[in-house]
Amino acid sequence: ARAMGRMLAARGVGAGSHRLLSSPQGRARETARLAFGTEPGIEPRLREIAMGDWSGLDRAEIDARWPGPPDEHFVDFYARAPNGEGFKALWARCAALLAELDGPAILVTHGMTSRVLRTIATGGAMSDLAKLPGGQGVVFRLCAGRHEALSAPLAQEERGG
């Protein structure tokens, strides 16, 4: 988080130049604090996709209780979460948030929420969710419908795992 903040500061991007918004979830809030040295504005629509009955379980537990098809695509995995939020609802809340932004913003969020925000911002459709790259610890820049990664995904050891 600190390295991402330094990289953005070197580009003139920070809480002073951009509106800083974070998911209310702890990991995103702490990332924003560490990266920018200030408390972010909390935006509930930046929370990660709700996983319903799978909340709090790891992938091994989910696979043991709700096995999916072999070689399941990650988008299909999220879509089949029992009592989960689903992509249609996630898409609607992300689209509403983007429509309300009135200037440059830094959005600190989570994997699937980021992917949906970026797909909408680049003019994609829900069927395009798998086309954009993901990755933990990545800074993506979106401007005028264009998308670019400013940093690469962190290696497992860099994430502390």
Side-chain angles (χ1 to χ4, degrees):
R2 288 184 183 102
M4 289 186 294
R6 287 189 301 272
M7 185 261 306
L8 288 170
R11 293 173 173 264
V13 175
S17 63
H18 289 62
R19 186 173 175 197
L20 175 60
L21 298 173
S22 172
S23 158
Q25 293 171 283
R27 189 172 181 172
R29 290 175 64 185
E30 184 63 14
T31 296
R33 277 192 221 106
L34 289 171
F36 302 102
T38 189
E39 190 67 31
I42 301 305
E43 174 49 70
R45 293 172 291 187
L46 289 174
R47 72 187 180 282
E48 184 60 295
I49 188 171
M51 297 300 289
D53 295 350
W54 293 354
S55 292
L57 303 177
D58 65 27
R59 182 66 189 254
E61 293 169 312
I62 292 167
D63 288 342
R65 293 169 61 186
W66 294 275
D71 302 320
E72 179 177 44
H73 192 277
F74 72 90
V75 172
D76 297 326
F77 171 77
Y78 282 90
R80 70 178 178 86
N83 299 306
E85 178 176 15
F87 285 110
K88 189 173 182 180
L90 176 60
W91 189 276
R93 73 172 152 95
C94 288
L97 171 62
L98 289 173
E100 290 175 19
L101 291 178
D102 58 359
I106 301 165
L107 307 178
V108 183
T109 189
H110 311 274
M112 287 311 302
T113 303
S114 170
R115 190 176 294 271
V116 170
L117 287 163
R118 292 179 291 122
T119 300
I120 294 168
T122 56
M126 206 174 305
S127 60
D128 297 324
L129 282 174
K131 292 181 181 175
L132 292 177
Q136 187 172 357
V138 183
V139 175
F140 295 105
R141 178 178 186 265
L142 292 112
C143 184
R146 298 196 56 202
H147 173 275
E148 70 176 311
L150 298 181
S151 64
L154 295 175
Q156 177 104 11
E157 59 276 4
E158 292 175 291
R159 292 194 310 256

